Amino acid sequence: MTMMIDKQNPVILASASPRRRELIRLLGIPVRSEAAGGSEQITTTCPWEAVEQLSEQKAREIALANPGQTVIGADTVVACDGRIFGKPGNEQEAYQMLHTLQGKTHQVYTGVTILSISSDGREMRKTFHEETAVEVYPMSDEEIWNYIKTGEPMDKAGAYGIQGSFCLFVRSIRGDYLNVVGLPVARLYHEMKEWKLL
């Protein structure tokens, strides 16, 4: 079973995230987006295992609906003090997350699954994760609430977007910056190259 990528058979990104759509275009290949709508379930408290599970669930939902096409699923979480942070459900949750992260180093994990399922059920799959450490300056309550009022935190894991005004509070990064944005493009490129997809 081989996976062909061309204009008639583009890669499908199993995500509605505008950030991931923008990042995956850096690969220079035909891509279209189709958001997975199924419920996400994790069976672990380990953050890197969780993002791998979630990325595979997203990719599998879309791959089953698009036999023979290459699908890429991704999911990002923030981990700090033994807790996993996804997207905040409201401003108070965003405050609690940011209050936990300020003045500390936390980890950002993105899981990625590349998957193709043929019409007869055969599949090719590769799942991996990338980890980036982010150190945040101390933030006052006023700074946290002012940032929340920008609206940036509400659709982002850990309640912040490193590419936005939160950059004012990032002291250091160890690892892939784009992983924090939402997709480790360099790792994805090399994994796809290894599979002869690029």
Side-chain angles (χ1 to χ4, degrees):
M1 177 180 168
T2 58
M3 295 188 278
M4 300 297 295
I5 298 172
D6 54 38
K7 289 182 180 177
Q8 283 71 45
N9 200 29
V11 165
I12 303 174
L13 176 64
S15 174
S17 163
R19 294 170 297 282
R20 288 200 181 106
R21 285 201 304 266
E22 183 180 338
L23 290 174
I24 201 167
R25 289 191 183 107
L26 295 172
L27 294 174
I29 57 175
V31 177
R32 70 179 175 87
S33 294
E34 188 174 329
S39 61
E40 299 177 354
Q41 297 180 338
I42 56 173
T43 60
T44 178
T45 56
C46 172
W48 65 263
E49 290 178 350
V51 290
E52 288 193 358
Q53 285 182 3
L54 293 169
S55 73
E56 184 179 349
Q57 289 171 26
K58 291 177 179 180
R60 187 167 298 279
E61 177 186 332
I62 301 304
L64 287 169
N66 296 273
Q69 291 194 261
T70 302
V71 177
I72 296 173
D75 197 86
T76 303
V77 300
V78 165
C80 185
D81 292 346
R83 297 166 62 195
I84 297 176
F85 296 147
K87 298 174 185 176
N90 53 51
E91 290 188 348
Q92 188 59 43
E93 280 187 19
Y95 169 81
Q96 290 167 353
M97 290 181 187
L98 292 167
H99 188 264
T100 300
L101 299 179
Q102 61 87 26
K104 298 177 185 171
T105 298
H106 64 270
Q107 286 69 44
V108 179
Y109 296 90
T110 299
V112 180
T113 294
I114 308 166
L115 177 64
S116 180
I117 302 176
S118 68
S119 54
D120 62 3
R122 290 177 300 145
E123 68 176 64
M124 291 180 66
R125 178 179 64 85
K126 175 172 279 197
T127 299
F128 61 90
H129 72 275
E130 194 69 26
E131 175 186 349
T132 304
V134 180
E135 183 182 3
V136 179
Y137 280 106
M139 300 173 70
S140 67
D141 277 4
E142 182 180 10
E143 287 170 325
I144 292 172
W145 282 112
N146 284 342
Y147 177 62
I148 291 170
K149 286 174 187 171
T150 68
E152 273 186 23
M154 303 315 297
D155 66 339
K156 297 174 181 68
Y160 74 88
I162 199 167
Q163 71 277 25
S165 57
F166 192 78
C167 68
L168 300 175
F169 302 103
V170 176
R171 185 191 293 268
S172 68
I173 301 171
R174 293 189 301 280
D176 184 348
Y177 168 81
L178 292 181
N179 184 52
V180 185
V181 179
L183 191 68
V185 180
R187 174 80 182 273
L188 177 58
Y189 171 78
H190 288 280
E191 295 284 355
M192 293 180 75
K193 218 168 73 162
E194 187 178 301
W195 254 18
K196 311 257 186 287
L197 292 172
L198 297 174

